[in-house]
Amino acid sequence: MSRRTRLIGIASACLVGALAVGTATWSLATAADGAATRASAPQSDGDRHGTTTVPVEQGDLVETRTIAGALGYGTPTSVPGAASGTLTWLPQPGQVVHRDEPLYAVDERPVRALYGTTPLWRSLRAGARGADVRQLTENLAALGYDVPADDVFGARTGAAVRQWQRDRGLPVTGVVDGDQIAFVDGAVRVASVVGQLGQPVGGDVLQVTSTHRVVSVRVPARDAGQLGVGRRVRVLVNGAGGAMPGSVTDATPAETEDGRDEVDVTVAFDAGDRRLPAAASAQVVAEGRTERDVLSVPVSALVARGSSGYAVEVVDRDGSAERVPVEVGLVADGRAAVTGDLDEGARVVVPS
Protein backbone atom coordinates (compact mmCIF):
# COMPACT_ATOMS: atom_id res chain seq x y z
CA MET A 1 0.00 0.00 0.00
CA SER A 2 1.45 3.40 -1.04
CA ARG A 3 1.82 6.32 1.37
CA ARG A 4 -0.80 8.28 -0.63
CA THR A 5 -3.30 5.42 -0.37
CA ARG A 6 -2.76 5.25 3.39
CA LEU A 7 -3.26 9.01 3.70
CA ILE A 8 -6.44 8.89 1.63
CA GLY A 9 -7.78 6.11 3.84
CA ILE A 10 -7.06 8.19 6.93
CA ALA A 11 -8.68 11.30 5.43
CA SER A 12 -11.80 9.43 4.38
CA ALA A 13 -12.11 7.74 7.76
CA CYS A 14 -11.76 11.06 9.56
CA LEU A 15 -14.43 12.69 7.39
CA VAL A 16 -16.86 9.81 7.81
CA GLY A 17 -16.22 9.75 11.53
CA ALA A 18 -16.82 13.49 11.84
CA LEU A 19 -20.01 13.22 9.86
CA ALA A 20 -21.31 10.38 12.03
CA VAL A 21 -20.97 12.18 15.38
CA GLY A 22 -24.49 12.83 16.66
CA THR A 23 -26.07 11.92 13.32
CA ALA A 24 -25.96 8.16 13.22
CA THR A 25 -29.32 7.97 11.47
CA TRP A 26 -28.19 10.05 8.49
CA SER A 27 -26.95 8.41 5.33
CA LEU A 28 -25.85 9.94 2.08
CA ALA A 29 -27.54 9.43 -1.28
CA THR A 30 -27.88 11.18 -4.60
CA ALA A 31 -31.11 13.13 -5.04
CA ALA A 32 -33.38 11.31 -7.48
CA ASP A 33 -34.06 14.48 -9.43
CA GLY A 34 -30.35 14.98 -10.13
CA ALA A 35 -29.96 18.00 -7.86
CA ALA A 36 -26.84 16.56 -6.31
CA THR A 37 -23.68 16.61 -8.41
CA ARG A 38 -22.82 13.43 -10.24
CA ALA A 39 -19.26 12.17 -10.37
CA SER A 40 -17.57 12.13 -13.75
CA ALA A 41 -15.88 8.99 -14.95
CA PRO A 42 -12.25 8.66 -13.78
CA GLN A 43 -9.58 9.13 -16.41
CA SER A 44 -6.12 7.63 -16.53
CA ASP A 45 -3.27 10.10 -16.92
CA GLY A 46 -0.91 8.68 -19.48
CA ASP A 47 1.94 11.01 -18.48
CA ARG A 48 1.98 9.77 -14.87
CA HIS A 49 1.98 5.98 -14.79
CA GLY A 50 -0.74 4.51 -12.58
CA THR A 51 -2.41 7.86 -11.83
CA THR A 52 -6.16 8.28 -12.18
CA THR A 53 -7.75 11.73 -12.17
CA VAL A 54 -11.25 13.19 -12.07
CA PRO A 55 -12.39 16.78 -12.65
CA VAL A 56 -13.36 19.24 -9.95
CA GLU A 57 -17.13 19.76 -10.38
CA GLN A 58 -19.34 22.75 -9.67
CA GLY A 59 -23.00 22.37 -8.68
CA ASP A 60 -25.35 21.63 -5.80
CA LEU A 61 -24.45 19.17 -3.07
CA VAL A 62 -27.40 17.70 -1.14
CA GLU A 63 -27.30 15.75 2.11
CA THR A 64 -30.11 13.21 2.35
CA ARG A 65 -31.45 10.98 5.05
CA THR A 66 -32.58 7.47 4.12
CA ILE A 67 -34.81 5.63 6.60
CA ALA A 68 -35.94 2.02 6.36
CA GLY A 69 -39.66 1.39 6.61
CA ALA A 70 -42.45 -0.89 5.49
CA LEU A 71 -45.20 -0.65 2.91
CA GLY A 72 -48.68 -1.03 4.35
CA TYR A 73 -51.95 0.77 5.08
CA GLY A 74 -50.92 2.80 8.11
CA THR A 75 -51.64 2.50 11.81
CA PRO A 76 -55.00 0.82 12.56
CA THR A 77 -57.69 2.69 14.49
CA SER A 78 -60.50 1.19 16.51
CA VAL A 79 -64.20 1.07 15.70
CA PRO A 80 -65.98 0.85 19.07
CA GLY A 81 -69.26 -0.99 19.31
CA ALA A 82 -71.91 1.57 20.21
CA ALA A 83 -74.98 -0.52 19.35
CA SER A 84 -76.72 -2.63 21.97
CA GLY A 85 -77.34 -6.31 21.32
CA THR A 86 -75.52 -9.36 19.94
CA LEU A 87 -73.02 -9.35 17.09
CA THR A 88 -74.59 -11.27 14.20
CA TRP A 89 -72.31 -10.30 11.28
CA LEU A 90 -68.71 -9.17 10.94
CA PRO A 91 -66.63 -8.31 7.84
CA GLN A 92 -63.51 -10.16 6.75
CA PRO A 93 -60.00 -8.74 7.23
CA GLY A 94 -58.97 -6.91 4.07
CA GLN A 95 -62.54 -5.97 3.20
CA VAL A 96 -63.09 -2.33 2.20
CA VAL A 97 -66.13 -0.53 3.63
CA HIS A 98 -67.45 2.55 1.84
CA ARG A 99 -70.01 5.16 2.82
CA ASP A 100 -73.42 3.72 3.80
CA GLU A 101 -72.12 0.14 3.76
CA PRO A 102 -72.33 -2.13 6.83
CA LEU A 103 -69.40 -2.16 9.25
CA TYR A 104 -70.97 -4.88 11.38
CA ALA A 105 -74.46 -6.06 12.38
CA VAL A 106 -76.18 -6.33 15.75
CA ASP A 107 -79.32 -8.45 16.13
CA GLU A 108 -79.28 -8.72 12.31
CA ARG A 109 -79.41 -4.93 11.95
CA PRO A 110 -76.47 -3.44 10.03
CA VAL A 111 -74.51 -0.58 11.56
CA ARG A 112 -73.55 1.53 8.56
CA ALA A 113 -70.40 3.58 7.92
CA LEU A 114 -70.75 7.31 7.45
CA TYR A 115 -67.74 9.57 6.94
CA GLY A 116 -66.49 11.92 9.62
CA THR A 117 -63.76 12.49 12.18
CA THR A 118 -66.02 13.38 15.12
CA PRO A 119 -67.26 10.22 16.88
CA LEU A 120 -70.99 9.67 17.30
CA TRP A 121 -71.32 10.44 21.02
CA ARG A 122 -75.08 11.03 21.22
CA SER A 123 -78.37 10.46 19.43
CA LEU A 124 -78.93 12.99 16.66
CA ARG A 125 -82.46 14.38 16.60
CA ALA A 126 -84.41 17.58 15.87
CA GLY A 127 -82.83 20.62 17.49
CA ALA A 128 -79.34 19.17 17.82
CA ARG A 129 -76.37 21.33 16.78
CA GLY A 130 -72.69 20.56 16.33
CA ALA A 131 -69.94 19.00 14.23
CA ASP A 132 -71.59 15.58 14.35
CA VAL A 133 -74.79 17.05 12.88
CA ARG A 134 -72.78 18.66 10.07
CA GLN A 135 -71.15 15.30 9.35
CA LEU A 136 -74.59 13.69 9.15
CA THR A 137 -75.92 16.30 6.72
CA GLU A 138 -72.80 16.08 4.56
CA ASN A 139 -73.23 12.31 4.29
CA LEU A 140 -76.92 12.57 3.48
CA ALA A 141 -76.14 15.15 0.79
CA ALA A 142 -73.45 12.87 -0.67
CA LEU A 143 -76.08 10.09 -0.83
CA GLY A 144 -78.43 12.35 -2.78
CA TYR A 145 -80.82 13.53 -0.06
CA ASP A 146 -82.09 17.13 0.17
CA VAL A 147 -80.47 18.60 3.28
CA PRO A 148 -79.00 22.00 4.20
CA ALA A 149 -75.21 22.20 4.51
CA ASP A 150 -75.10 23.30 8.15
CA ASP A 151 -74.69 21.98 11.69
CA VAL A 152 -78.36 22.32 12.73
CA PHE A 153 -80.73 19.35 12.79
CA GLY A 154 -83.78 21.10 11.33
CA ALA A 155 -86.95 20.04 9.57
CA ARG A 156 -85.26 19.27 6.21
CA THR A 157 -82.61 17.18 7.92
CA GLY A 158 -85.31 15.28 9.82
CA ALA A 159 -87.20 14.59 6.59
CA ALA A 160 -84.02 13.36 4.90
CA VAL A 161 -83.20 11.09 7.86
CA ARG A 162 -86.68 9.53 7.76
CA GLN A 163 -86.40 8.93 4.00
CA TRP A 164 -82.93 7.37 4.45
CA GLN A 165 -84.38 5.08 7.13
CA ARG A 166 -87.23 4.02 4.85
CA ASP A 167 -84.79 3.31 2.01
CA ARG A 168 -82.67 1.11 4.31
CA GLY A 169 -85.56 -0.79 5.87
CA LEU A 170 -84.94 0.75 9.29
CA PRO A 171 -87.50 1.91 11.85
CA VAL A 172 -88.56 5.39 10.71
CA THR A 173 -87.94 7.50 13.78
CA GLY A 174 -86.16 10.58 12.47
CA VAL A 175 -83.47 9.93 15.09
CA VAL A 176 -79.97 8.60 14.26
CA ASP A 177 -77.91 6.78 16.89
CA GLY A 178 -75.21 4.14 17.36
CA ASP A 179 -77.64 1.33 16.54
CA GLN A 180 -77.68 2.60 12.93
CA ILE A 181 -74.39 4.35 12.07
CA ALA A 182 -70.74 4.82 13.06
CA PHE A 183 -68.52 7.64 11.81
CA VAL A 184 -65.23 6.59 10.21
CA ASP A 185 -62.57 8.71 8.52
CA GLY A 186 -63.50 7.95 4.91
CA ALA A 187 -63.54 4.57 3.21
CA VAL A 188 -61.75 2.08 5.45
CA ARG A 189 -60.03 -1.27 5.11
CA VAL A 190 -60.65 -3.86 7.81
CA ALA A 191 -57.28 -4.63 9.39
CA SER A 192 -58.58 -7.06 12.00
CA VAL A 193 -61.81 -8.19 13.62
CA VAL A 194 -61.88 -7.83 17.42
CA GLY A 195 -65.50 -8.68 18.21
CA GLN A 196 -66.85 -12.23 18.18
CA LEU A 197 -70.05 -13.46 16.57
CA GLY A 198 -72.71 -14.38 19.09
CA GLN A 199 -71.21 -12.21 21.79
CA PRO A 200 -72.73 -9.01 23.19
CA VAL A 201 -71.34 -5.78 21.80
CA GLY A 202 -68.72 -4.42 24.14
CA GLY A 203 -65.50 -2.53 23.55
CA ASP A 204 -63.91 -2.39 20.11
CA VAL A 205 -65.46 -4.36 17.27
CA LEU A 206 -62.98 -3.71 14.44
CA GLN A 207 -59.54 -2.32 13.70
CA VAL A 208 -59.51 -0.38 10.43
CA THR A 209 -57.02 1.52 8.30
CA SER A 210 -57.05 3.80 5.31
CA THR A 211 -57.52 2.17 1.91
CA HIS A 212 -54.44 3.97 0.56
CA ARG A 213 -50.97 2.44 0.61
CA VAL A 214 -48.49 4.26 2.81
CA VAL A 215 -44.99 3.73 4.12
CA SER A 216 -44.48 3.65 7.89
CA VAL A 217 -41.15 4.42 9.54
CA ARG A 218 -39.99 4.91 13.12
CA VAL A 219 -37.36 7.49 14.04
CA PRO A 220 -35.81 8.75 17.28
CA ALA A 221 -37.71 11.72 18.68
CA ARG A 222 -34.62 13.94 18.28
CA ASP A 223 -34.80 13.43 14.49
CA ALA A 224 -38.58 13.79 14.11
CA GLY A 225 -38.25 17.48 13.20
CA GLN A 226 -36.72 16.43 9.89
CA LEU A 227 -39.93 14.52 9.06
CA GLY A 228 -42.64 16.93 10.14
CA VAL A 229 -46.16 16.69 8.75
CA GLY A 230 -46.23 18.16 5.25
CA ARG A 231 -42.54 17.51 4.57
CA ARG A 232 -41.93 16.41 0.99
CA VAL A 233 -39.90 13.22 0.61
CA ARG A 234 -39.17 10.47 -1.89
CA VAL A 235 -40.29 6.87 -1.45
CA LEU A 236 -38.60 3.70 -2.68
CA VAL A 237 -40.53 0.42 -2.48
CA ASN A 238 -38.69 -2.84 -3.01
CA GLY A 239 -39.80 -4.31 -6.32
CA ALA A 240 -41.66 -1.18 -7.50
CA GLY A 241 -38.97 0.62 -9.48
CA GLY A 242 -37.55 4.09 -8.90
CA ALA A 243 -38.36 6.79 -6.37
CA MET A 244 -41.90 8.14 -6.04
CA PRO A 245 -42.92 11.56 -4.69
CA GLY A 246 -44.47 11.55 -1.23
CA SER A 247 -45.17 13.64 1.84
CA VAL A 248 -45.42 13.09 5.59
CA THR A 249 -49.07 12.87 6.65
CA ASP A 250 -48.79 11.87 10.30
CA ALA A 251 -46.22 11.77 13.09
CA THR A 252 -47.18 10.39 16.51
CA PRO A 253 -45.17 9.37 19.59
CA ALA A 254 -44.43 5.65 19.66
CA GLU A 255 -44.68 3.28 22.59
CA THR A 256 -41.44 1.36 23.06
CA GLU A 257 -40.68 -1.42 25.54
CA ASP A 258 -37.35 0.09 26.57
CA GLY A 259 -38.74 3.58 27.14
CA ARG A 260 -36.92 5.26 24.26
CA ASP A 261 -38.47 8.41 22.80
CA GLU A 262 -39.42 7.54 19.24
CA VAL A 263 -41.95 8.74 16.69
CA ASP A 264 -44.01 6.76 14.18
CA VAL A 265 -44.13 8.58 10.85
CA THR A 266 -46.62 7.89 8.06
CA VAL A 267 -45.76 8.83 4.49
CA ALA A 268 -48.30 8.97 1.67
CA PHE A 269 -47.01 8.73 -1.88
CA ASP A 270 -48.14 8.76 -5.49
CA ALA A 271 -47.49 5.40 -7.13
CA GLY A 272 -49.10 6.45 -10.41
CA ASP A 273 -49.91 3.36 -12.46
CA ARG A 274 -47.30 1.16 -10.80
CA ARG A 275 -48.34 -2.21 -9.42
CA LEU A 276 -47.28 -2.40 -5.80
CA PRO A 277 -46.55 -5.69 -4.02
CA ALA A 278 -48.89 -6.80 -1.27
CA ALA A 279 -46.13 -6.28 1.28
CA ALA A 280 -42.59 -5.01 0.93
CA SER A 281 -39.76 -3.20 2.60
CA ALA A 282 -39.43 0.47 1.72
CA GLN A 283 -37.22 3.51 2.21
CA VAL A 284 -38.07 7.14 2.81
CA VAL A 285 -35.51 9.64 1.51
CA ALA A 286 -35.62 13.19 2.92
CA GLU A 287 -33.35 15.99 1.84
CA GLY A 288 -31.40 17.75 4.54
CA ARG A 289 -28.67 20.36 4.28
CA THR A 290 -27.91 21.72 0.80
CA GLU A 291 -24.99 23.78 -0.47
CA ARG A 292 -25.61 25.54 -3.76
CA ASP A 293 -23.17 26.07 -6.61
CA VAL A 294 -20.10 24.74 -4.80
CA LEU A 295 -16.90 23.11 -6.03
CA SER A 296 -16.66 19.48 -5.00
CA VAL A 297 -14.31 16.53 -5.30
CA PRO A 298 -14.62 12.85 -4.40
CA VAL A 299 -13.85 12.21 -0.74
CA SER A 300 -11.16 9.80 -1.92
CA ALA A 301 -9.30 12.74 -3.55
CA LEU A 302 -8.65 14.35 -0.16
CA VAL A 303 -5.21 13.94 1.38
CA ALA A 304 -4.62 14.60 5.08
CA ARG A 305 -2.10 17.35 5.83
CA GLY A 306 -1.27 16.28 9.35
CA SER A 307 -3.04 18.53 11.84
CA SER A 308 -3.48 21.35 9.31
CA GLY A 309 -6.45 20.03 7.33
CA TYR A 310 -6.69 18.57 3.85
CA ALA A 311 -5.34 19.00 0.34
CA VAL A 312 -5.94 17.67 -3.16
CA GLU A 313 -3.31 16.72 -5.70
CA VAL A 314 -3.93 18.69 -8.91
CA VAL A 315 -2.42 17.41 -12.18
CA ASP A 316 -1.53 20.09 -14.74
CA ARG A 317 -1.73 19.62 -18.49
CA ASP A 318 2.00 18.89 -18.68
CA GLY A 319 1.59 16.04 -16.21
CA SER A 320 3.14 17.81 -13.26
CA ALA A 321 1.34 17.62 -9.91
CA GLU A 322 0.77 20.18 -7.18
CA ARG A 323 -0.72 19.62 -3.74
CA VAL A 324 -3.34 22.35 -3.12
CA PRO A 325 -4.68 22.98 0.41
CA VAL A 326 -8.49 23.04 0.67
CA GLU A 327 -11.16 23.73 3.27
CA VAL A 328 -13.77 20.96 3.43
CA GLY A 329 -17.46 21.82 3.72
CA LEU A 330 -20.54 19.59 3.31
CA VAL A 331 -19.87 15.92 2.60
CA ALA A 332 -22.64 14.11 0.69
CA ASP A 333 -22.99 11.41 -1.93
CA GLY A 334 -19.34 10.50 -1.54
CA ARG A 335 -18.25 14.02 -2.47
CA ALA A 336 -16.90 16.89 -0.41
CA ALA A 337 -17.49 20.59 -0.98
CA VAL A 338 -14.09 22.32 -1.06
CA THR A 339 -12.74 25.86 -1.19
CA GLY A 340 -9.19 26.74 -2.15
CA ASP A 341 -7.06 27.63 -5.15
CA LEU A 342 -9.11 25.40 -7.46
CA ASP A 343 -11.15 25.90 -10.61
CA GLU A 344 -13.98 23.86 -12.09
CA GLY A 345 -12.58 21.24 -14.44
CA ALA A 346 -9.16 20.99 -12.79
CA ARG A 347 -8.15 17.33 -12.53
CA VAL A 348 -7.40 15.84 -9.13
CA VAL A 349 -5.84 12.51 -8.31
CA VAL A 350 -7.98 9.67 -6.92
CA PRO A 351 -6.94 6.10 -6.06
CA SER A 352 -6.81 3.78 -9.04
Side-chain angles (χ1 to χ4, degrees), residues 62-90:
V62 182
E63 184 182 49
T64 60
R65 182 181 183 189
T66 302
I67 312 160
L71 177 69
Y73 290 92
T75 304
T77 58
S78 300
V79 177
S84 57
T86 301
L87 287 168
T88 54
W89 178 83
L90 291 165

Side-chain angles (χ1 to χ4, degrees), residues 31-348:
D33 60 3
T37 54
R38 293 176 291 275
S40 299
Q43 175 180 308
S44 295
D45 189 336
D47 294 330
R48 304 181 73 239
H49 181 69
T51 299
T52 301
T53 62
V54 295
V56 176
E57 297 186 357
Q58 186 166 3
D60 297 342
L61 204 58
V62 182
E63 184 182 49
T64 60
R65 182 181 183 189
T66 302
I67 312 160
L71 177 69
Y73 290 92
T75 304
T77 58
S78 300
V79 177
S84 57
T86 301
L87 287 168
T88 54
W89 178 83
L90 291 165
Q92 294 296 315
Q95 183 174 334
V96 175
V97 181
H98 300 91
R99 191 197 318 266
D100 205 29
E101 294 180 347
L103 282 164
Y104 60 96
V106 175
D107 297 343
E108 298 189 354
R109 300 189 308 270
V111 176
R112 297 177 178 274
L114 295 185
Y115 296 170
T117 57
T118 301
L120 183 65
W121 56 275
R122 58 176 175 169
S123 297
L124 300 181
R125 62 182 71 239
R129 295 172 178 262
D132 48 0
V133 175
R134 179 175 289 276
Q135 287 179 173
L136 175 64
T137 59
E138 289 173 348
N139 279 274
L140 291 170
L143 294 171
Y145 295 94
D146 179 24
V147 288
D150 58 28
D151 59 0
V152 179
F153 197 124
R156 284 172 59 193
T157 299
V161 165
R162 288 189 291 273
Q163 186 59 53
W164 174 79
Q165 290 172 331
R166 289 190 192 95
D167 294 341
R168 302 301 178 270
L170 300 171
V172 181
T173 62
V175 178
V176 178
D177 57 24
D179 286 337
Q180 299 171 348
I181 68 166
F183 286 123
V184 292
D185 190 11
V188 293
R189 175 182 176 273
V190 178
S192 63
V193 177
V194 182
Q196 295 184 355
L197 289 176
Q199 296 297 313
V201 179
D204 295 337
V205 177
L206 307 172
Q207 292 277 316
V208 298
T209 66
S210 166
T211 59
H212 301 291
R213 308 299 293 276
V214 297
V215 169
S216 300
V217 300
R218 178 169 288 187
V219 296
R222 66 177 181 273
D223 298 325
Q226 302 293 336
L227 290 172
V229 173
R231 178 73 180 269
R232 295 188 181 278
V233 296
R234 299 189 308 279
V235 172
L236 293 162
V237 174
N238 187 28
M244 297 168 280
S247 63
V248 177
T249 58
D250 190 36
T252 57
E255 295 182 3
T256 60
E257 294 181 357
D258 55 7
R260 289 181 299 175
D261 292 331
E262 294 184 328
V263 175
D264 286 330
V265 177
T266 302
V267 176
F269 62 95
D270 182 7
D273 57 358
R274 300 190 200 187
R275 294 177 63 91
L276 297 175
S281 59
Q283 292 179 316
V284 174
V285 182
E287 290 188 1
R289 180 182 166 194
T290 300
E291 289 194 4
R292 304 288 184 188
D293 199 29
V294 295
L295 295 176
S296 69
V297 298
V299 170
S300 60
L302 297 171
V303 180
R305 298 174 60 232
S307 60
S308 58
Y310 299 93
V312 293
E313 194 170 355
V314 179
V315 177
D316 294 331
R317 292 183 179 180
D318 61 4
S320 62
E322 177 186 7
R323 188 161 291 184
V324 178
V326 294
E327 293 290 333
V328 178
L330 175 66
V331 177
D333 190 30
R335 299 186 66 83
V338 293
T339 55
D341 189 16
L342 289 175
D343 294 317
E344 181 183 10
R347 303 200 70 86
V348 296

